[in-house]
């Protein structure tokens, strides 16, 4: 419950011909995380599944593209899950998939070309719009003449008057056929002998030539008719291609063949995945990995049933020197899944160290409730969680939990949607004694940091880092330093002096921390070494103080929650009845959405930075078992 499940390292040796079946068995087993073998590669130099893996990758790539082409969803379940796939079957499947994919590629190319033709025709129709008022054969505008200079282009609206005057002087005529916001589309024509002079006029006026597409033959209305007919033909051809594709996908035999191919490749996937880890020599192969120790009897039973007398299975617990390589498998009730996800967002617990999921779940919901205590708001949150259960997924239980604790603290505070006179407080409203609230928040913070430091000490002892567990600022020395600071501060506030024991405890703890930092930085020059030691000691003191004060936000947000409600009621009382209730309703919605999100973020921040950063390394290795059909996912057991 408080640690990842105990693991065993297993080594499975078997006959080469049984390797595909063994891989399928391990995938159906669902609790085997493959690992590189400890056997020296020279003793098992062969990779018997390499050719199988290459064939699988090629077939899987083609099948994925074919299923995408026909818009067929791969099956969720796998037929005959214990029927192994041979290399010959993969090759035969690959030949068929290659033929199908070649046909699909041809279809894709035809459809791509039709889409390109449709796009081009649409662009031509759009370009033709500007010529619709021109009563002329557009073919003539495309031809070059030795006697007549004809040009089509655009001109800025501001330059049109002087441009037309200059054209008349050169003996040219102009026709305006389309006007936009800033540009005028024109046709100009004149004697070819004046072309050089007109060229200078065009450049000065900002003329830009317009190319007439070669597809424009005849008058604009005729061209539009041709292009419209062409678009209709392309649409019809594209629709027919779609019908042909969907018809073939709907054919029972063809659809069944593709689904069967998906089943085959799903059964081939485990052996293909193990191909780089399964080594052998001659007719012998071996594969290694990790399993939960409670699952060993079940694995032995499966091997005896499916490979009777054809295997050797060796198991052993992890060695101390390979602790960092052992994967961590977390086991929690499904209601704790959202909290597990938040823990894994920070990192994966190392094998053997404390799994903080339960502690995180309890402390998170309590801190949220303390900062957001209101019976009405808590009930709304819980109801929203139940109504949105499908959309929230496994986070439903987290929303329900924070809603429940918010409602419980609302009963303690006597608050219902900000009103503090509707029910009698089981304890007290936060604003009635702010100093007590601050004291409780500090007490919670002290308890939280002490527990985090104890967990740090435990984890370091488990990891074999005994010196750090004793002398580091987050070890026993740091714990004694914190206790010395706490008792000293308490004695000063109570009697005006710190006494002898507290300062002595602080000095001895700092001496141990200084000694550890000095030894840890042995390769540094004396002055730098001394500076590092002093800074680390100062940082240790300030970190404990600042981290403790950080928990004052628990009281601050509980007081802020009440203050926001008072502000809303104050504004509402300035209005008439309808305005008052509108202000109260929308004000409570504002508190629920904005402050609720901020409180959740603050609670998560305290967990991550004041808790996890102390004792939780988060650099563990996730347990990723070999699975059938769904790929390798991080295993979380209910």
């Amino acid at each position: 419950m408080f640690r990842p499940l105990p693991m065993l390292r297993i080594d499975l040796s078997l006959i080469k011909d049984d390797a595909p079946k063994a891989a399928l068995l391990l995938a159906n087993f669902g609790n085997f995380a493959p690992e590189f073998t400890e056997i020296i590669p020279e003793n098992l130099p062969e990779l018997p599944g390499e050719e199988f893996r290459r064939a699988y990758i090629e077939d899987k790539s083609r099948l994925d593209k074919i299923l995408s082409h026909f818009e067929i969803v791969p099956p969720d379940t796998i037929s005959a899950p214990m029927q192994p796939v041979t290399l010959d079957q993969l090759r035969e499947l690959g030949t068929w998939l290659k033929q199908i994919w070649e046909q699909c590629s041809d279809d894709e190319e035809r459809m791509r070309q039709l889409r390109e033709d449709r796009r081009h025709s649409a662009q031509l129709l759009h370009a033709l719009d500007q010529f619709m008022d021109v009563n002329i054969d557009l073919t003539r505008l495309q031809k070059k003449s030795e006697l007549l200079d004809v040009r089509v282009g655009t001109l800025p609206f501001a330059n049109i008057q002087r441009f037309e005057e200059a054209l008349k002087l050169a003996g040219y005529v102009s026709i305006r056929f389309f006007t936009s916001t800033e540009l005028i589309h024109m046709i100009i024509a004149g004697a070819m002998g004046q072309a050089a002079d007109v060229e200078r006029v065009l450049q000065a006026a900002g003329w830009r030539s317009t190319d007439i597409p070669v597809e424009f033959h005849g008058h604009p209305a005729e061209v539009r008719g041709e292009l419209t007919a062409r678009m209709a033909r392309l649409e019809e051809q594209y629709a027919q291609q779609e019908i042909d594709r969907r018809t073939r996908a709907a054919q029972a035999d063809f659809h069944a063949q593709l689904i069967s191919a998906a089943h085959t490749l799903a059964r081939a996937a485990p052996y293909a995945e193990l191909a780089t880890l399964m080594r052998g020599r001659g007719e012998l192969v071996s594969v290694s990995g990790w399993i939960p120790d409670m699952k060993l009897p079940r694995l032995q039973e499966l091997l005896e049933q499916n490979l009777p007398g054809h295997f050797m299975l060796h198991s052993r617990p992890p060695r101390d020197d390979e602790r960092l390589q052992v994967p961590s498998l977390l086991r929690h009730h499904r209601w704790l899944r959202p909290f597990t996800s938040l823990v894994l967002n920070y990192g994966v617990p190392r094998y053997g160290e404390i799994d903080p999921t339960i502690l995180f779940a309890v402390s998170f919901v309590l801190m949220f409730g303390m900062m957001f205590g209101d019976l009405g708001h808590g009930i709304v949150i819980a109801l929203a969680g139940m109504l949105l259960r499908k959309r929230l997924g496994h986070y439903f239980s987290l929303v329900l939990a924070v809603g429940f604790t918010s409602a419980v603290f609302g009963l303690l505070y006597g608050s219902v949607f900000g009103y503090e006179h509707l029910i009698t407080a089981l304890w007290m409203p936060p604003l009635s004694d702010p100093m007590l609230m601050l004291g409780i928040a500090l007490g919670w913070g002290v308890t939280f940091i002490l527990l985090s430091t104890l967990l740090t000490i435990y984890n370091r002892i488990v990891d074999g880092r005994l010196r750090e567990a004793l002398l580091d600022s987050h070890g026993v020395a740091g714990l004694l330093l914190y206790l010395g600071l706490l008792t000293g501060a308490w004695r000063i506030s109570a009697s005006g002096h710190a006494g002898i024991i507290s300062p002595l405890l602080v000095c001895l703890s700092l001496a141990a921390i200084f000694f550890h930092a000095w030894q840890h930085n042995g390769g540094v020059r004396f002055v730098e070494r001394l500076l590092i030691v002093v800074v680390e000691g100062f940082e240790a003191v300030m970190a404990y103080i600042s981290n403790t004060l950080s928990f004052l936000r628990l009281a601050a947000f509980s007081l802020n929650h009440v203050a926001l409600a008072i502000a809303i009621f104050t504004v509402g009382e300035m209005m008439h009845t309808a305005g008052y209730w509108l202000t109260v309703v929308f004000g409570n919605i504002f508190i629920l959405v904005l402050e609720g999100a901020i409180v959740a973020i603050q609670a998560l921040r305290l967990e991550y930075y004041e808790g996890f950063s102390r004792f939780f390394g988060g650099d563990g290795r996730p347990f990723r078992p070999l699975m059938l059909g769904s790929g390798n996912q991080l295993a979380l057991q209910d």
Side-chain angles (χ1 to χ4, degrees), residues 137-144 212-218:
D137 187 344
L138 297 178
T139 309
R140 296 182 178 182
L141 299 179
Q142 303 172 25
K143 295 179 179 179
K144 300 296 181 181
I212 299 179
V214 295
E215 291 89 350
F216 289 2
H217 299 292

Side-chain angles (χ1 to χ4, degrees), residues 617-637:
D619 56 353
R621 179 182 172 188
F623 183 79
R624 300 188 183 278
L626 187 69
M627 302 290 288
L628 183 63
S630 59
N632 285 352
Q633 303 293 329
L634 180 63
L636 300 171
Q637 292 199 350

